[in-house]
Amino acid sequence: VRLGPVCCACLPPHFTDHFVAYAARPLTLKGGWDSLKQTSLNVDYVLGAAKTELELMARVPSAPSPAVRSSECGLPKLQPGRSDVFVQVESAIELLLQKPEFQGKDIRKVGVMEAAEGYAYLHVKHKALLTPLAQALAAMHGDGTTVRLRRQAASDEAQ
């Protein structure tokens, strides 16, 4: 798949991540982004997360609260109740929740907003590599290498 004049996407997607809502109080959000429509919840997100900001601005009446600088800043705001919900990519938060400072905190996933697929992209001058790259990624996925490498990376970053 060609994306503009200079990039080609390697199909199929090589990973899927999710935009997820987290909270420290009992709460269930069903229906994706629309579960935040017409709610009085104070929803935080990370500054620069364009997709999250656009989705929240279209749905949250308080049009989202000021963004935090990082996930590390957003999660602690859930504990004292300064924020009701924090929306971020699941892989980033699950990694943080493994860190000692978040162990034992009552922060939980309360809703999946959307799944997002990730692709490898190549410059068009490397278009001939698309098929071999797709085959290599499929083989790595099939034999569990990608899962093992993601866990290893998460473990290394959590330390």
Side-chain angles (χ1 to χ4, degrees):
V1 174
R2 187 152 177 186
L3 302 170
V6 295
C7 289
C8 295
C10 181
L11 299 175
H14 66 280
F15 72 89
T16 301
D17 209 338
H18 299 89
F19 289 91
V20 175
Y22 290 86
R25 65 183 178 105
L27 180 66
T28 302
L29 298 172
K30 294 184 179 182
W33 293 108
D34 286 339
S35 64
L36 297 171
K37 271 187 174 180
Q38 305 306 315
T39 181
S40 61
L41 295 171
N42 182 14
V43 182
D44 274 329
Y45 67 100
V46 175
L47 181 67
K51 168 73 173 170
T52 303
E53 183 174 3
L54 287 172
E55 296 291 349
L56 293 177
M57 287 180 72
R59 291 171 176 83
V60 178
S62 58
S65 59
V68 296
R69 291 179 38 177
S70 68
S71 297
E72 291 89 344
C73 294
L75 286 179
K77 287 181 69 177
L78 294 171
Q79 284 304 120
R82 296 186 340 232
S83 180
D84 298 309
V85 175
F86 182 66
V87 178
Q88 177 58 303
V89 177
E90 184 176 32
S91 60
I93 300 302
E94 293 304 317
L95 178 65
L96 278 178
L97 291 177
Q98 296 174 20
K99 289 188 171 189
E101 59 265 36
F102 295 108
Q103 293 290 316
K105 304 288 186 194
D106 198 19
I107 297 172
R108 65 181 76 69
K109 186 185 324 179
V110 296
V112 176
M113 304 294 103
E114 177 181 351
E117 295 177 328
Y119 299 86
Y121 293 94
L122 296 175
H123 190 279
V124 291
K125 69 182 178 183
H126 302 297
K127 187 176 179 179
L129 296 174
L130 282 173
T131 299
L133 178 59
Q135 291 169 341
L137 290 171
M140 291 173 66
H141 183 70
D143 70 11
T145 300
T146 53
V147 171
R148 183 178 49 78
L149 290 173
R150 286 184 76 165
R151 285 185 183 147
Q152 180 183 346
S155 175
D156 290 348
E157 197 162 317
Q159 294 176 1

